[in-house]
Amino acid sequence: MTPAALLEAYLMHLSSERGLSRHTQENYARDLRVLFGKIGEVRLDALQTQDIRRVLAGLHAQGLSGKSLARTLSAWRGFYHYLAKRHGYSHNPCESLRAPKSPRSLPKALSPDQTRHLLEAPTGTPLQIRDLAILELFYSSGLRLSELAELKCAQLDLISGEVTVTGKGNKTRIVPVGNRAAQALARWLALRPAGTDYVFPGRAGAHLGQRAIELRLKLWAVRAGLEVNIHPHILRHSFASHLLQSSGDLRAVQEMLGHASISTTQIYTRLDFQHLAKVYDAAHPRARRKS
């Protein structure tokens, strides 16, 4: 089979058997096409570890960060694992390779005051009522953008205050919906156009697009007078960091975010520590710096 045919079969495997989103599949396809473009006429089953290392070195020289290289290498490794399992490939040339590490940046989060200011902007039009429901649900439940965009009415239980979502790896979780979010959603659902199962419908019965949601949030932030780059993930980060600061329950935050590993969630403990350090520096008599 040609590389293109193998890629098509792999993407079908990612969709039907692993339940990965279309966005994730597109990322895998892009990373694999980079590999195909770099190896020239060399067959995939003939590639050796030194060949992969050489390609990685070239990408690094072009300015790709350690994080991007790690993601790319992970895509290649997974592809070869599939080829070995389904197409009889004898070895995985990516198996022993590790991408160079790059400094891990902390996710940005709004302060509680900024969040409150954002969510208290007045609403009057149906579009504003919808946007507020989106904002409240992001901040109340920490959903991913794809989870919120594709949310259907059957997944919401406003009486119990719960939302059921299926996230990465086709894993289902139940997340609380706060009172403010439930109220905002109830207002929107009373106005929502009929003829679709989606909570936030777009055109022709489909759900509202992810890019449309991103643009509406940016417009909402401008309208609220916030000089912050608002995007869906910043509300997910704010949900996680504020919840952890209040509860200290890392395991509960992990479950609500849908992280497969608690190590992914632990980055929010660093955010929490930064907050505590600022309080300490400002309040402790032995920590105050002389002016």
Side-chain angles (χ1 to χ4, degrees):
M1 294 176 68
T2 65
L6 288 170
L7 174 58
E8 190 66 28
Y10 182 51
L11 295 178
M12 183 67 69
H13 162 75
L14 294 179
S15 173
S16 62
E17 298 187 33
R18 293 187 54 190
L20 299 187
S21 69
R22 182 175 296 276
H23 178 69
T24 302
Q25 293 174 51
E26 290 171 353
N27 287 340
Y28 274 63
R30 183 186 63 245
D31 291 336
L32 288 166
R33 289 190 182 106
V34 169
L35 177 63
F36 299 164
K38 296 291 185 182
I39 62 176
E41 298 298 321
V42 181
R43 298 194 321 273
L44 289 172
D45 60 354
L47 282 179
Q48 302 298 316
T49 299
Q50 60 267 28
D51 300 318
I52 300 294
R53 185 181 290 112
R54 189 160 43 246
V55 174
L56 286 174
L59 293 174
H60 187 54
Q62 292 175 13
L64 258 69
S65 67
K67 183 177 181 180
S68 296
L69 288 172
R71 186 207 65 225
T72 300
L73 182 58
S74 176
W76 298 352
R77 187 182 296 115
F79 180 54
Y80 267 99
H81 179 75
Y82 162 80
L83 293 177
K85 188 175 181 180
R86 299 293 178 86
H87 295 273
Y89 277 42
S90 61
H91 72 292
N92 188 335
C94 307
E95 196 62 49
S96 62
L97 294 178
R98 295 292 179 269
K101 291 185 178 180
S102 57
R104 190 175 188 184
S105 59
L106 292 176
K108 297 184 184 301
L110 298 176
S111 70
D113 284 342
Q114 286 176 318
T115 307
R116 184 166 52 252
H117 189 65
L118 180 71
L119 298 178
E120 289 178 355
T123 57
T125 68
L127 195 58
Q128 291 170 350
I129 292 171
R130 184 203 67 185
D131 290 349
L132 180 60
I134 289 173
L135 285 162
E136 287 281 9
L137 185 55
F138 267 133
Y139 180 60
S140 170
S141 304
L143 302 188
R144 297 181 178 93
L145 174 57
S146 60
E147 294 168 348
L148 185 139
E150 299 170 18
L151 190 67
K152 294 185 176 181
C153 293
Q155 297 172 248
L156 271 178
D157 185 343
L158 297 184
I159 296 176
S160 299
E162 295 176 347
V163 58
T164 303
V165 292
T166 301
K168 291 184 177 180
N170 211 24
K171 294 181 179 178
T172 299
R173 69 187 191 280
I174 299 175
V175 187
V177 176
N179 289 334
R180 293 288 185 90
Q183 292 170 11
L185 284 163
R187 286 184 68 197
W188 164 241
L189 290 174
L191 301 173
R192 185 182 66 94
T196 176
D197 294 331
Y198 291 108
V199 176
F200 303 108
R203 296 179 180 178
H207 60 76
L208 191 62
Q210 295 185 23
R211 182 58 179 162
I213 293 174
E214 291 173 345
L215 292 174
R216 289 302 304 175
L217 296 195
K218 290 183 184 298
L219 288 173
W220 189 276
V222 172
R223 179 172 171 267
L226 282 181
E227 296 181 358
V228 179
N229 180 25
I230 298 294
H231 51 84
H233 227 56
I234 201 173
L235 290 169
R236 178 170 159 88
H237 291 324
S238 301
F239 158 83
S241 59
H242 298 171
L243 186 59
L244 186 59
Q245 287 172 13
S246 299
S247 69
D249 193 333
L250 187 65
R251 182 67 67 181
V253 174
Q254 176 200 358
E255 292 179 1
M256 283 185 271
L257 289 174
H259 286 162
S261 170
I262 200 167
S263 63
T264 308
T265 318
Q266 282 175 333
I267 192 169
Y268 293 103
T269 64
R270 297 171 63 191
L271 284 173
D272 190 37
F273 178 78
Q274 286 188 342
H275 168 74
L276 296 174
K278 289 179 180 178
V279 172
Y280 178 85
D281 287 342
H284 195 284
R286 292 291 189 182
R288 294 172 186 160
R289 293 177 173 82
K290 295 180 180 180
S291 57

